[in-house]
């Protein structure tokens, strides 16, 4: 690890080493990304949007592009996080690099394509050129600009008009850090055409004990009446940095549901921006943060209501143990034409210790006059009245606190439709918060059978 | 030996706050039913909460023996497992925690404490079914979160149902009758009597404002609490007298003898 005076330097060096792409538009896109990143530099606390999350550790670390990894550890990790045959398709990336052997797309229904970005550059160039990099606002997101500078690997999910997949499409990004601090910058593009229905899961996971960095960008386009159920499960290693921008664009009557779960990493910053560009589009953003030790998890959401009659619901919950900290910043912007907007934002945070800290800020910017926008935030310890009620019936204090903690989290977990995601969250709740077997929403034993 | 022996109990709000109990003396024999009446704010709930081990109160003086053991030394959960039950005046709503899981844990923690094997799901279901019938509980009830969205009366009925399931030696019922409709009052009283009669040692302490309850659950002794002390005790006829005359005459009587 070396400290460089100009923190963008190591990336500039890497950038210069990247081979040019066959397609000129890709090279232009990369150049545009790198230029935007160099102009902005790494975010500092002076920037409004970055006041509560200090990314100097990322800026000061010399990251090399992550080399791929092979071997037993890789297989084991892939197995641990795989959805098995509960997935319609599963693309596995090791240290950012697509692994065709661990991936499977054979069970995909007609009209649905899931392929690595590298492959997509060959076969889906027109679609990519139309959308890739056209939605993510890189001028406002330096890390997304950085990712754009290195656009290369990742995934394309294309759901054709009217196509339906009930089983989830799983994009699994795994990191097995080597000796050097390495960065991978996956890029995902989802295009869901008219009247399609899909379930998409992005999992980001890695092993504990070494520093690495994942900087992801996902662009999601939901065309007229498309329905997308999206899960992001972040279980990075305990020394990892994770930054991500997810930019969603909704057309008329499109319905988008996001479940963002943050469990791992040392530091995470998620930006989730939804552009509601058609009437009667609907967005549901649910978030669950389960932090411990000295983890810092920052979720910034941005709901941009551009058209009339769009409801949005947002519920973010945080369970903060030890000395962990979290930030929630939820911006709701209602343009003057977006009449009858119905936006509801709620954040709830459970502080399990006196040292855990939560910083929750709503930011409403409303230019239409006939709208309903509500926001509410609660932050507090486990309710002592409830704990006393439970122990006065014979439960131990630990049992009572655990019970309260996972009841708090289960409020989110039970809304998640994808069973393997729930299992992973509940596994964590069992290990960390004493969730007993018979209170699991998803039966582990039955799930194991399904996985075989 | 009395089941509960409270001697000169003083308690204040923790952290040197307001003094609420100012020398309570009370003894309850095995098998007895007692009732405490008294004005709002006289300390009835505080007495119940202190007995159950509520940490927001500090005992500054006095002692309490429960079933021969020092009660005040025990943690709240230990007291429960030893057979003390508090039916709350204001039962807490706990969203997301199912009643069935919670009650099973409560029963099994108590059984473990007594060296008994834990009940499995089937055995627990059988026990619960019996008690649900006793208290005319709706079937959906076990799957609902603890008290969540329950009406005032439903919460009180739930408290007695839980008491029936854990089957304590001593049940403290803090204003369990308030909020119950006429039919519910009968059902719940019937339930309390059934629990009481299920074992000759079991005792009940009722806190109530209404003599009417005592027509259904007939007490052996009635106590009057004023300003943190039990100042007068008598038989069930004392409740009738209080109903008729209020509390002022008791206060005057005390003042005269002081
Ligand atoms: N935690 C507390 N902090 C401050 N004051 C308290 C606390 N608990 C009780 N008190 C006060 O102590 C007094 C006795 O309260 P308690 O609830 O025991 O009365 P009660 O006899 O049960 O009344 P009620 O008939 O209205 O239920 C009241 O004045 C009450 O405000
Ligand atoms: Mg009271």
């Amino acid at each position: 690890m070396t400290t460089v005076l100009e923190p963008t330097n190591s990336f500039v060096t890497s950038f210069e080493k990247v081979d040019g792409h066959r397609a000129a538009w890709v090279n232009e896109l990369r150049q545009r990304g790198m230029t935007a990143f160099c102009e902005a530099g790494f975010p500092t606390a002076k920037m409004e949007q970055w006041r509560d999350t200090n990314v100097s550790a990322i800026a000061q670390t010399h990251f090399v592009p992550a080399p791929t990894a092979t071997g037993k550890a890789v297989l084991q990790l892939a197995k641990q996080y795989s959805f098995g045959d509960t997935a319609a398709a599963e693309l596995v990336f090791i240290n950012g690099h697509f692994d065709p052997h661990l991936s499977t797309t054979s069970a995909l229904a007609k009209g649905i394509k899931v392929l690595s970005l590298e492959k997509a550059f060959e076969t889906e160039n027109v679609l990519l050129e139309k959308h890739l990099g056209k939605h993510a606002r890189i001028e406002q997101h330096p890390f997304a600009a950085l990712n754009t500078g290195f656009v290369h690997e990742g995934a394309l999910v294309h759901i054709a008009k009217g196509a339906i997949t009930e089983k989830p499409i799983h994009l699994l990004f795994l990191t097995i850090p080597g000796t050097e601090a390495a960065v991978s910058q996956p890029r995902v593009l989802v295009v869901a055409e008219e009247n399609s229905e899909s379930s998409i899961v992005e999992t980001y996971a890695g092993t504990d004990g070494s520093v690495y960095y994942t900087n992801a960008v996902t662009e999601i386009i939901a065309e007229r009446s498309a329905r997308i159920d999206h899960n992001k499960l972040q279980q990075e290693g305990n020394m990892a940095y994770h930054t991500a921008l997810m930019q969603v664009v909704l057309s008329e009557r499109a319905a988008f549901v996001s479940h963002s779960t943050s469990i791992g990493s040392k530091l995470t910053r998620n930006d989730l921006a939804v552009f509601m560009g058609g009437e009667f589009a609907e967005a549901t953003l649910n978030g669950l943060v389960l932090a411990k030790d000295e983890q810092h998890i920052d979720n910034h959401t941005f709901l941009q209501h551009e058209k009339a009659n769009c409801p949005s619901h947002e519920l973010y919950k945080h369970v903060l143990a030890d000395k962990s900290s979290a930030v929630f910043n939820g911006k709701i912007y209602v343009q003057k034409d977006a009449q009858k907007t119905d936006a509801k934002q709620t954040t709830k945070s459970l502080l399990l210790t006196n040292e855990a800290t939560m910083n929750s800020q709503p930011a409403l910017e409303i230019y239409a006059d006939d709208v309903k926008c509500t926001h509410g935030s609660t932050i507090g310890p486990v309710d002592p009245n409830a704990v006393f009620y439970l122990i006065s019936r014979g439960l131990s204090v630990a049992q009572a606190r655990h019970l309260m903690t996972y009841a708090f989290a289960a409020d989110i977990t039970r809304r998640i439709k994808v069973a393997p995601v729930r299992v992973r969250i509940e596994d964590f709740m069992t290990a960390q918060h004493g969730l007993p077997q018979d209170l699991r929403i998803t039966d582990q034993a039955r799930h194991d059978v399904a996985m075989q | 030996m009395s089941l509960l022996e409270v001697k000169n109990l003083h308690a204040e709000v923790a952290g040197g706050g307001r003094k609420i109990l100012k020398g309570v003396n009370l003894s309850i024999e095995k098998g007895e039913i007692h009732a405490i009446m008294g004005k709002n704010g006289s300390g009835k709930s505080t007495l119940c909460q202190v007995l159950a081990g509520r940490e927001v109160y500090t005992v500054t003086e006095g002692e309490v023996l429960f079933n021969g053991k020092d009660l005040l030394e025990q943690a709240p959960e230990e007291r429960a497992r030893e057979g003390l039950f508090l039916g709350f005046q204001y039962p807490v709503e706990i969203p997301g925690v199912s009643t069935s899981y919670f009650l099973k844990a409560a029963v099994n923690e108590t059984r473990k404490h007594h060296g008994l094997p834990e009940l499995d799901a089937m055995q627990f279901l059988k026990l619960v079914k019996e008690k649900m019938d006793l208290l005319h509980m709706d079937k959906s009830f076990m799957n609902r979160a603890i008290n969540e969205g329950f009406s005032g009366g439903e919460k009180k009925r739930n408290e007695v149902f839980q008491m029936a399931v854990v089957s304590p030696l001593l049940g403290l019922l803090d204003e369990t009758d308030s909020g119950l409709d006429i039919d519910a009052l009968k059902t719940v009283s019937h339930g309390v009597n059934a629990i009481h009669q299920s074992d000759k040692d079991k005792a009940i302490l009722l806190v109530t404002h209404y003599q009417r309850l005592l027509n259904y659950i007939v007490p052996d002794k009635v106590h009057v609490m004023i300003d943190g002390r039990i100042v007068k005790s008598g038989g069930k006829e004392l409740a009738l007298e209080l109903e008729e005359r209020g509390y002022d005459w008791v206060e005057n009587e005390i003042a005269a003898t002081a």
Side-chain angles (χ1 to χ4, degrees):
Chain A
M1 216 196 285
T2 49
T3 307
V4 286
L5 289 173
E6 179 66 63
T8 50
N9 271 357
S10 71
F11 286 100
V12 172
T13 313
S14 309
F15 181 72
E16 281 158 0
K17 285 189 202 151
V18 173
D19 295 334
H21 199 271
R22 277 174 290 101
W25 72 267
V26 177
N27 290 324
E28 278 161 29
L29 178 65
R30 286 179 183 165
Q31 190 56 58
R32 191 161 66 82
M34 207 53 200
T35 305
F37 173 67
C38 288
E39 270 168 20
F42 283 100
T44 64
K46 289 196 192 93
M47 297 165 75
E48 174 72 21
Q49 293 299 306
W50 291 88
R51 243 184 5 216
D52 304 305
T53 293
N54 183 343
V55 293
S56 61
I58 297 175
Q60 283 162 14
T61 304
H62 180 85
F63 289 105
V64 297
T68 195
T70 50
K72 233 178 159 177
V74 170
L75 291 177
Q76 209 182 332
L77 197 67
K79 189 161 184 261
Q80 189 188 338
Y81 285 91
S82 171
F83 284 5
D85 56 16
T86 61
E90 189 165 69
L91 297 193
V92 181
F93 299 81
I94 305 296
N95 296 355
H97 306 287
F98 178 60
D99 187 324
H101 303 293
L102 292 172
S103 303
T104 151
T105 54
S106 51
L108 276 176
K110 227 178 130 231
I112 301 175
K113 282 184 195 150
V114 179
L115 56 171
S116 75
L117 212 50
E118 258 183 316
K119 178 93 186 143
F121 280 126
E122 287 170 23
T123 61
E124 307 289 330
N125 191 53
V126 177
L127 186 71
L128 283 185
E129 189 173 355
K130 185 173 170 200
H131 289 294
L132 194 70
K134 297 292 192 298
H135 307 282
R137 312 245 173 99
I138 59 172
E139 286 74 19
Q140 285 146 39
H141 297 279
F143 288 116
L146 179 63
N147 172 292
T148 303
F150 290 86
V151 158
H152 178 41
E153 295 217 64
L156 168 69
V157 176
H158 181 208
I159 321 283
K161 190 170 168 178
I164 293 174
T165 165
E166 272 164 37
K167 285 185 174 183
I169 292 161
H170 189 202
L171 308 176
L172 177 53
F173 299 94
L174 298 172
T175 303
I176 294 164
T179 44
E180 265 184 297
V183 56
S184 63
Q185 309 205 56
R187 183 87 181 201
V188 175
L189 174 66
V190 176
V191 179
E193 292 184 1
E194 260 182 65
N195 287 313
S196 65
E197 273 177 48
S198 54
S199 166
I200 296 159
V201 180
E202 292 176 45
T203 299
Y204 295 86
T207 47
D208 287 345
S210 306
V211 176
Y212 69 89
Y213 175 33
T214 306
N215 178 35
V217 172
T218 299
E219 288 168 295
I220 298 179
I221 295 94
E223 294 179 355
R224 197 175 192 281
S225 298
R227 308 182 74 82
I228 300 176
D229 181 72
H230 184 275
N231 269 279
K232 171 173 175 174
L233 179 60
Q234 185 275 100
Q235 293 198 279
E236 303 275 24
N238 65 353
M239 292 177 73
Y241 302 106
H242 181 99
T243 54
L245 168 67
M246 182 153 94
Q247 176 76 58
V248 184
V249 177
L250 304 182
S251 298
E252 199 184 328
R253 290 181 200 278
F256 176 72
V257 178
S258 158
H259 297 278
S260 171
T261 308
S262 299
I263 294 174
S265 84
K266 181 175 167 60
L267 183 151
T268 284
R269 164 64 177 253
N270 284 317
D271 279 278
L272 168 53
V274 182
F275 181 89
M276 307 180 75
E279 277 197 58
F280 299 100
E282 185 172 351
T284 303
L285 311 185
N286 293 333
L288 181 60
V289 172
L290 304 169
K292 58 186 170 69
D293 301 328
E294 294 185 8
Q295 282 180 285
H296 178 81
I297 312 283
D298 178 344
N299 279 295
H300 269 59
T301 65
F302 179 28
L303 279 157
Q304 189 173 352
H305 284 264
E306 284 291 320
K307 291 279 154 57
N309 296 304
C310 293
S312 67
H313 327 270
E314 199 170 8
L315 175 61
Y316 268 71
K317 287 192 142 189
H318 309 80
V319 177
L320 305 180
D322 307 323
K323 292 182 177 169
S324 63
S325 56
V327 175
F328 174 81
N329 183 297
K331 183 166 175 178
I332 298 175
Y333 172 95
V334 182
Q335 212 254 89
K336 67 178 184 340
D337 297 333
Q339 301 295 0
K340 306 276 181 213
T341 288
D342 185 355
K344 184 166 190 239
Q345 178 188 93
T346 310
T347 57
K348 294 186 178 176
S349 307
L350 191 59
L351 306 183
L352 298 179
T353 65
N354 290 330
E355 290 143 319
T357 55
M358 179 68 213
N359 185 335
S360 171
Q361 302 147 353
L364 307 187
E365 226 180 284
I366 301 168
Y367 299 102
D369 42 31
D370 184 14
V371 300
K372 213 166 95 190
C373 286
T374 61
H375 65 88
S377 170
T378 57
I379 302 172
V382 180
D383 177 7
N385 293 323
V387 170
F388 182 69
Y389 187 82
L390 296 171
I391 64 174
S392 81
R393 301 282 143 96
L395 274 69
S396 68
V397 175
Q399 254 178 325
R401 284 176 61 87
H402 283 154
L403 203 53
M404 298 294 296
T405 305
Y406 51 71
F408 179 86
D411 181 27
I412 295 280
T413 317
R414 66 182 169 75
R415 295 167 204 255
I416 294 174
K417 293 203 191 86
V418 181
V421 174
R422 283 201 308 267
V423 168
R424 296 224 51 92
I425 296 171
E426 295 200 314
D427 282 351
F428 176 82
M429 292 306 286
T430 301
Q432 190 65 25
H433 299 290
L435 169 64
Q437 192 61 35
D438 36 346
L439 273 189
R440 294 179 73 116
I441 301 166
T442 312
D443 188 322
Q444 181 61 56
R446 256 186 304 167
H447 179 72
D448 285 345
V449 171
M451 295 289 290
Q452 278 163 13
Chain B
M1 181 189 69
S2 304
L3 181 61
L4 182 77
E5 187 76 51
V6 180
K7 286 186 207 150
N8 190 32
L9 185 65
H10 287 70
E12 62 186 30
V13 176
R18 171 164 179 193
K19 297 187 185 344
I20 304 174
L21 301 183
K22 301 171 182 172
V24 176
N25 290 295
L26 174 68
S27 67
I28 299 177
E29 301 303 316
K30 286 178 178 162
E32 285 185 342
I33 296 179
H34 287 223
I36 297 184
M37 303 181 80
K39 281 188 178 171
N40 295 133
S42 55
K44 305 179 297 295
S45 292
T46 303
L47 174 63
C48 293
Q49 300 269 336
V50 166
L51 292 177
R54 188 69 191 244
E55 73 294 347
V56 298
Y57 304 108
T58 307
V59 172
T60 51
E61 218 183 311
E63 61 174 326
V64 181
L65 288 176
F66 175 57
N67 206 17
K69 292 182 192 161
D70 185 345
L71 185 75
L72 300 177
E73 273 202 337
Q74 300 169 27
E77 59 272 29
E78 255 181 290
R79 302 180 194 197
R81 294 169 194 166
E82 286 282 318
L84 186 85
F85 179 94
L86 169 61
F88 286 62
Q89 181 175 3
Y90 303 109
V92 186
E93 294 196 21
I94 311 185
V97 179
S98 87
T99 306
S100 73
Y101 177 80
F102 155 59
L103 261 185
K104 186 161 171 250
V107 168
N108 281 334
E109 285 307 315
T110 301
R111 290 181 65 90
K112 271 197 282 190
H113 181 75
H114 293 285
L116 296 168
E118 293 184 35
L119 296 186
D120 64 24
M122 290 297 282
Q123 292 164 320
F124 177 69
L125 218 66
K126 187 167 168 281
L127 169 70
V128 159
K129 172 114 195 10
E130 210 175 278
K131 306 304 178 191
M132 285 178 85
D133 289 346
L134 175 68
L135 285 147
H136 302 185
M137 307 290 296
D138 191 84
K139 281 196 191 63
S140 68
F141 171 79
M142 286 300 279
N143 298 320
R144 288 173 67 179
I146 301 168
N147 292 321
E148 191 184 23
F150 285 25
S151 72
E154 284 171 336
K155 285 180 188 166
K156 297 303 177 69
R157 189 196 294 244
N158 186 8
E159 293 294 278
V160 176
F161 164 70
Q162 291 186 35
M163 178 165 108
V165 172
V166 301
S167 188
L169 263 177
L170 174 63
L172 313 174
L173 294 175
D174 191 358
E175 294 199 30
T176 300
D177 54 331
S178 49
L180 292 177
D181 66 39
I182 299 158
D183 292 337
L185 181 66
K186 283 187 196 161
T187 312
V188 166
S189 303
H190 171 73
V192 172
N193 286 326
I195 299 163
H196 178 236
Q197 283 151 19
S198 67
D199 183 318
K200 66 171 180 17
D201 284 350
K202 287 195 192 305
I204 307 282
L205 175 63
L206 304 165
V207 171
T208 182
H209 288 296
Y210 306 106
Q211 191 276 329
R212 195 185 49 195
L213 173 71
L214 307 180
N215 290 335
Y216 295 109
I217 308 173
V218 182
D220 299 291
K221 293 218 172 81
V222 174
H223 310 276
V224 181
M225 187 155 200
I226 291 177
D227 192 23
R229 259 173 305 181
I230 287 175
V231 295
K232 190 175 178 68
S233 301
K236 60 175 187 277
E237 63 292 340
L238 178 57
L240 280 168
E241 196 171 359
L242 292 168
E243 177 98 355
E244 224 164 84
R245 299 174 62 191
Y247 291 103
D248 287 352
W249 66 275
V250 187
E251 277 172 18
N252 294 336
E253 206 178 271
I254 309 295
T257 55

